[in-house]
Amino acid sequence: MTRLIFLGPPGAGKGTQAQILAEHLHIPHISTGDILRQAMKEQTPLGIKAQGYVDSGELVPDQLVQDLVEERLDQSDAKSGWILDGFPRKVTQAAFLEELLQKIGQGGERVVNLDAPDDVVVTRLLSRGRKDDTEEVIRRRLEIYRNDTAPLIDYYSDRQKLLTINGDQSQEDVTHELKKTLGS
Ligand code: AMP
């Protein structure tokens, strides 16, 4: 049973690696960013509420993403494991997740910290061309990462759940290192 949380700055390759690994392990890749973007595209109530935050690079309110994750982890395909990508993004969300996983009996999660230097992630993001990949929004997302998300590295390290992978190498090398580290 594999339950993984992917942590790391925007542009570190979390989405790509999470997708590859999820396919390899036959478990769902659960990206809160993807779910929010889909909801925005469909203009669902969730999408409408999230739009302004996502477009400007701000975090959407905890309650919205927490409800979304709780609902998603309750679906049948998540019973055999999952990879969470983009959640949790701050300590309050991590505390929520810890409690949720205990409540639904889905423990044993490990956290992959996919790290890469700022200049590398900025270059990657600028070449990606997503709507929230303008220079100003990227700067804001990196700032939020440093202030709100990076503290999760210590949070999970203290709980002995953290694995660190060097994201500053080719996509293939990161995948290889990941599989080796996870023993899969
Ligand atoms: P991502 O695709 O993970 O880069 O997420 C894109 C955007 O979705 C972020 O900049 C936030 O606006 C929003 N988002 C995704 N996950 C979360 C989360 N866990 N908490 C708050 N906002 C989130």
Side-chain angles (χ1 to χ4, degrees):
M1 172 75 62
T2 306
R3 298 188 183 105
L4 290 176
I5 294 167
F6 268 51
L7 205 63
K14 291 189 301 293
T16 306
Q17 296 298 332
Q19 183 64 43
I20 292 171
L21 199 60
E23 271 171 32
H24 176 69
L25 297 170
H26 306 288
I27 55 178
H29 166 215
I30 302 174
S31 156
T32 45
D34 283 352
I35 294 170
L36 291 171
R37 279 184 291 277
Q38 185 63 32
M40 283 159 51
K41 205 167 114 192
E42 293 168 3
Q43 289 285 290
T44 66
L46 170 68
I48 291 166
K49 282 185 213 146
Q51 183 104 45
Y53 299 99
V54 174
D55 285 349
S56 57
E58 301 295 324
L59 294 182
V60 310
D62 282 357
Q63 196 66 50
L64 288 184
V65 276
Q66 288 173 186
D67 287 352
L68 174 170
V69 167
E70 181 161 7
E71 212 175 284
R72 186 63 188 85
L73 292 185
D74 191 44
Q75 287 169 23
S76 60
D77 65 338
K79 308 288 178 202
S80 53
W82 38 255
I83 298 181
L84 266 180
D85 162 17
F87 185 93
R89 249 185 168 88
K90 49 199 279 217
V91 170
T92 47
Q93 294 179 7
F96 166 84
L97 182 65
E98 204 169 327
E99 221 174 279
L100 173 67
L101 295 180
Q102 203 176 2
K103 187 175 87 179
I104 62 179
Q106 294 190 9
E109 75 283 10
R110 284 174 295 171
V111 181
V112 173
N113 177 29
L114 193 60
D115 205 11
D118 273 13
D119 57 331
V120 172
V121 301
V122 170
T123 307
R124 283 190 194 160
L125 290 172
L126 283 172
S127 70
R128 194 167 67 173
R130 218 167 67 187
K131 194 180 170 198
D132 58 344
D133 284 339
T134 63
E135 210 161 335
E136 189 193 345
V137 177
I138 288 172
R139 218 177 296 123
R140 181 67 188 132
R141 281 162 55 215
L142 278 172
E143 191 177 61
I144 291 177
Y145 172 76
R146 265 186 234 108
N147 293 337
D148 296 335
T149 311
L152 293 180
I153 295 171
D154 281 344
Y155 180 94
Y156 285 119
S157 172
D158 288 348
R159 284 160 179 73
Q160 266 121 42
K161 292 181 191 290
L162 196 75
L163 310 164
T164 296
I165 303 282
N166 175 17
D168 187 14
Q169 30 180 359
S170 73
Q171 194 185 100
E172 292 76 17
D173 287 347
V174 174
T175 304
H176 181 74
E177 189 181 332
L178 249 175
K179 287 182 181 168
K180 204 174 73 182
T181 304
L182 293 168
S184 56

